[in-house]
Amino acid sequence: EAGVAQSPRYKIIEKRQSVAFWCNPISGHATLYWYQQILGQGPKLLIQFQNNGVVDDSQLPKDRFSAERLKGVDSTLKIQPAKLEDSAVYLCASSLRQTTSYEQYFGPGTRLTVT
Amino acid sequence: GNSVTQMEGPVTLSEEAFLTINCTYTATGYPSLFWYVQYPGEGLQLLLKATKADDKGSNKGFEATYRKETTSFHLEKGSVQVSDSAVYFCALIYNQGGKLIFGQGTELSVKP
């Protein structure tokens, strides 16, 4: 079974530029999550999708971050414009359904450096 | 609010040493508790879980017991191996379908 795929693995941009990350969850997984992991901290949930609907985006900085999962499969997370404090690893995860949210399968992450 | 606190790392041990990584939580009610592990270059993966007080989760020689009286879920292993070197995250979910709340992670380095 293929795991959660993310791209790119690394990205370096200057502040005020925009960037997009892509995630393809495990086939058949209805729930998809985006996390931000700042160095030395645990992952923090940014947004959770159930199929193509948003379940929780309470910690997403909506003035600069956006995410979509249009067909209920893969997803993109965008930052525009980026700030220095956005430097982090962005993790995508999926679970079979929302009620099994404890068993999430994580991708390798995208390491973003904003200079 | 709900939160998880782990002991700071890095923790450096010799092979076959005993491991304890402390984890305490703050939550209203009775959350479910988890340990996730992140091996170098890989994504996080679920290591073990416990869903109610006094439950013991176990996997790959690791164990953790859900202690409601001390609000703790310490991770233990009797004899670590070099291959156990990774970052370990304690986490909780407050209700079914809720979001995972992670601790800050503890890096473990095992030397041969």
Side-chain angles (χ1 to χ4, degrees):
Chain A
E1 176 182 81
V4 176
Q6 289 188 248
S7 67
R9 292 295 307 276
Y10 305 91
K11 190 74 178 179
I12 301 174
I13 62 172
E14 296 182 351
K15 59 183 179 184
R16 292 186 290 273
Q17 287 186 323
S18 63
V19 64
F21 312 126
W22 175 82
C23 172
N24 191 29
I26 292 174
S27 178
H29 279 197
T31 312
L32 184 147
Y33 313 80
W34 282 104
Y35 290 86
Q36 180 192 59
Q37 186 178 11
I38 293 172
L39 186 66
Q41 299 180 19
K44 182 185 79 173
L45 181 69
L46 292 175
I47 188 167
Q48 176 182 343
F49 292 95
Q50 178 70 14
N51 298 310
N52 61 350
V54 175
V55 174
D56 184 346
D57 64 357
S58 57
Q59 297 193 89
L60 186 74
K62 298 180 187 63
D63 58 333
R64 298 185 301 106
F65 286 65
S66 64
E68 59 184 16
R69 193 184 185 200
L70 292 176
K71 296 182 180 179
V73 181
D74 56 350
S75 175
T76 55
L77 176 70
K78 297 179 181 177
I79 307 175
Q80 182 179 9
K83 294 184 174 181
L84 295 177
E85 59 260 36
D86 298 332
S87 294
V89 176
Y90 290 85
L91 299 169
C92 180
S94 68
S95 64
L96 190 58
R97 48 189 174 272
Q98 190 177 348
T99 51
T100 57
S101 60
Y102 60 86
E103 189 153 10
Q104 298 182 22
Y105 295 82
F106 285 79
T110 297
R111 183 177 298 277
L112 173 67
T113 302
V114 183
T115 63
Chain B
N2 300 323
S3 66
V4 177
T5 302
Q6 296 179 230
M7 64 185 286
E8 291 204 12
V11 174
T12 303
L13 295 174
S14 297
E15 208 165 19
E16 300 183 1
F18 184 86
L19 168 72
T20 300
I21 299 178
N22 291 338
C23 170
T24 58
Y25 66 89
T26 301
T28 52
Y30 305 103
S32 296
L33 302 173
F34 311 91
W35 278 99
Y36 273 76
V37 59
Q38 186 173 31
Y39 297 105
E42 299 183 16
L44 278 83
Q45 53 188 275
L46 179 64
L47 179 61
L48 54 83
K49 67 180 188 286
T51 57
K52 61 183 187 296
D54 299 325
D55 266 3
K56 178 185 283 188
S58 61
N59 186 23
K60 299 182 180 180
F62 291 89
E63 293 183 339
T65 301
Y66 187 163
R67 302 284 189 201
K68 183 168 69 71
E69 63 275 13
T70 55
T71 61
S72 65
F73 193 54
H74 305 322
L75 183 68
E76 297 182 335
K77 187 174 186 183
S79 176
V80 293
Q81 305 300 312
V82 173
S83 57
D84 294 326
S85 297
V87 181
Y88 293 82
F89 293 90
C90 187
L92 68 80
I93 284 182
Y94 178 61
N95 54 1
Q96 189 180 45
K99 62 185 179 187
L100 273 170
I101 296 172
F102 288 90
Q104 76 272 32
T106 302
E107 182 182 358
L108 170 66
S109 177
V110 180
K111 307 296 185 186

